[in-house]
Structures are given as C-alpha cells and as structure tokens.
Amino acid sequence: MMIVERNNNEILVRFSAGTKASKIQSILDYLRYEELTSKSEATEKDIEALTKKSKSDRWEKIKKEVGLDD
C-alpha cells in the first residue's frame, strides 16, 4: 500500500515494508534528478558540449595515468 500526503511545500510518500528498496531507490533517484534540473536553463546543445568536454578531459587523465601520453 502506498500513501501520498501533501504538507505545505513537501510531498510525503509512504510504502509498505514489503516493497523492494532497490525499486524505491530508482524512483527516488529520478525524482532527485527532476528536482535538481527543474530550473535549469541549459539547452541540449549545452549538455552535449559539456559531455564532450568532460569525456575528452577524462580520456586525457587516463592516458597520463597509464603512461599512454608519451
């Protein structure tokens, strides 16, 4: 059984003890993502550029760590 309550500026959700915690965690992770990005003004193009930059920077770091940058 699931109970949803709205109190002022928050929503409380209660699940029965038999509900798998991993399934609840997946839902909570998604809701946290939604909360964090709800006011973002980033465009898809901004996100793609940031992703490309972070992957490039990570690859450069890995090459240095394993000695491939010689």
Side-chain angles (χ1 to χ4, degrees):
M1 173 159 72
M2 180 176 70
I3 300 170
V4 179
E5 300 173 11
R6 182 179 293 271
N7 293 331
N8 298 323
N9 64 343
E10 64 184 9
I11 299 172
L12 303 173
V13 181
R14 300 173 197 248
F15 296 92
S16 63
T19 307
K20 286 188 175 183
S22 62
K23 289 186 177 191
I24 295 170
Q25 188 61 54
S26 294
I27 294 167
L28 293 175
D29 291 344
Y30 172 73
L31 294 173
R32 180 69 175 147
Y33 165 81
E34 286 294 322
E35 178 182 46
L36 292 172
T37 60
S38 66
K39 295 180 181 172
S40 174
E41 295 180 10
T43 65
E44 190 68 33
K45 189 174 181 179
D46 295 335
I47 294 168
E48 288 172 7
L50 181 60
T51 301
K52 184 176 181 180
K53 173 79 172 125
S54 68
K55 286 182 178 181
S56 172
D57 290 349
R58 181 66 185 144
W59 175 239
E60 292 303 318
K61 183 177 179 182
I62 290 170
K63 286 194 311 188
K64 287 179 183 176
E65 287 176 356
V66 296
L68 295 175
D69 62 338
D70 297 334

